[in-house]
Amino acid sequence: MPIQEIAEYLASVDMLRQVEMLLALHCAPIISGIKVSNLVVLTREQSMVLCRNIRPSGLDVWFLNYAEDSNPALIFRKDDMQKYLRRSDIQEALGRFGYSDFQLIPVLLQLSSHMRAYKAEEGAFPHELGILLGYPLEDVLGFMENDGENYAYCGYWKVYGDIEKAKKVFDAYNEVRNLAVTQVLRGSGVMRKGDNG
């Protein structure tokens, strides 16, 4: 769907439908269950609508930095994220960023702290966010080592490792996003149990 059409749709619907569309556009991979988490930035009003309506979907939300007009919301499924955080490679990678407690809430609290420090210009960008979004570790580390330059391919993230594997993942993300957008346009929500595939 072209950006202009999406903008017109968002301007013509109530706040709940706006949030549904933003989730379809930015969070379809987690909604469909093929990704560990997604990030969407919402206004304060959109954030409140999300919080009031997300529970039936089986999804969870954690706001990384709460402000009036820019609230980065990490969308995930609690059980899946806890399982992901138990992986030794993920714990080793997060350890490089100073994490030592790999339970869900301590990880999210520390990430939020790093995000607030970055927003206040008191710390570096929290690159561990890429790990928590399920990006391949070699790509997160490659991004850091190359300051975001010299990547081999770019899609949902900058690829430094396996390009063909990344392209397949990007295609899958595009497919579920298109399905989710169509679902919202047809009047079915993405936050209601049973509506997410």
Side-chain angles (χ1 to χ4, degrees), residues 31 49 96 112 139:
I31 292 166
V49 168
R96 296 179 188 189
S112 295
D139 294 335

Side-chain angles (χ1 to χ4, degrees), residues 20 28 33 42 76 110 125-126 137 157 173 192:
E20 294 271 359
L42 304 169
F76 58 95
Q110 189 165 351
F125 180 81
L137 295 176
W157 64 83
Y173 289 178
R192 292 179 288 259

Side-chain angles (χ1 to χ4, degrees), residues 41-60:
V41 179
L42 304 169
T43 66
R44 182 179 178 157
E45 188 177 359
Q46 291 167 339
S47 299
M48 290 187 300
V49 168
L50 174 68
C51 289
R52 285 193 304 265
N53 292 281
I54 198 168
R55 185 164 303 279
S57 69
L59 298 171
D60 294 286

Side-chain angles (χ1 to χ4, degrees), residues 128-157:
E128 68 268 27
L129 178 59
I131 297 168
L132 295 176
L133 289 170
Y135 299 164
L137 295 176
E138 63 188 340
D139 294 335
V140 174
L141 299 175
F143 182 91
M144 291 175 58
E145 292 165 5
N146 290 278
D147 293 321
E149 302 294 328
N150 306 317
Y151 49 90
Y153 189 77
C154 188
Y156 282 85
W157 64 83

Side-chain angles (χ1 to χ4, degrees), residues 4-171:
Q4 182 62 33
E5 286 181 49
I6 292 170
E8 289 171 8
Y9 175 84
L10 291 172
S12 70
V13 295
D14 65 24
M15 189 62 63
L16 177 59
R17 296 294 168 239
Q18 288 178 24
V19 172
E20 294 271 359
M21 181 58 81
L22 291 171
L23 289 176
L25 290 167
H26 299 285
C27 300
I30 180 60
I31 292 166
S32 69
I34 63 171
K35 193 170 187 282
V36 70
S37 70
N38 277 111
L39 190 69
V40 61
V41 179
L42 304 169
T43 66
R44 182 179 178 157
E45 188 177 359
Q46 291 167 339
S47 299
M48 290 187 300
V49 168
L50 174 68
C51 289
R52 285 193 304 265
N53 292 281
I54 198 168
R55 185 164 303 279
S57 69
L59 298 171
D60 294 286
V61 61
W62 183 275
F63 292 97
L64 298 175
N65 184 42
Y66 202 74
E68 188 65 33
D69 62 346
S70 179
N71 299 305
L74 189 68
I75 309 295
F76 58 95
R77 284 189 172 80
K78 182 179 167 185
D79 291 345
D80 292 343
M81 182 63 89
Q82 288 175 326
K83 182 178 177 184
Y84 180 73
L85 291 172
R86 285 194 292 270
R87 287 179 31 189
S88 61
D89 59 334
I90 298 304
Q91 290 181 3
E92 181 182 334
L94 288 173
R96 296 179 188 189
F97 296 96
Y99 290 75
S100 58
D101 185 338
F102 303 106
Q103 296 301 309
L104 179 61
I105 296 303
V107 166
L108 294 175
L109 286 170
Q110 189 165 351
L111 176 63
S112 295
S113 175
H114 291 175
M115 184 66 82
R116 283 191 303 276
Y118 171 70
K119 290 288 186 179
E121 299 181 4
E122 297 171 356
F125 180 81
H127 289 290
E128 68 268 27
L129 178 59
I131 297 168
L132 295 176
L133 289 170
Y135 299 164
L137 295 176
E138 63 188 340
D139 294 335
V140 174
L141 299 175
F143 182 91
M144 291 175 58
E145 292 165 5
N146 290 278
D147 293 321
E149 302 294 328
N150 306 317
Y151 49 90
Y153 189 77
C154 188
Y156 282 85
W157 64 83
K158 291 183 178 177
V159 179
Y160 293 86
D162 191 333
I163 297 169
E164 292 310 311
K165 184 176 179 182
K167 285 181 179 180
K168 288 177 184 174
V169 171
F170 297 162
D171 287 345

Side-chain angles (χ1 to χ4, degrees), residues 1 9 17 20-21 178-190 192 195:
M1 173 180 254
Y9 175 84
R17 296 294 168 239
E20 294 271 359
M21 181 58 81
N178 291 339
L179 290 171
V181 166
T182 300
Q183 183 176 323
V184 171
L185 290 174
R186 290 183 178 158
S188 296
V190 293
R192 292 179 288 259
D195 283 349

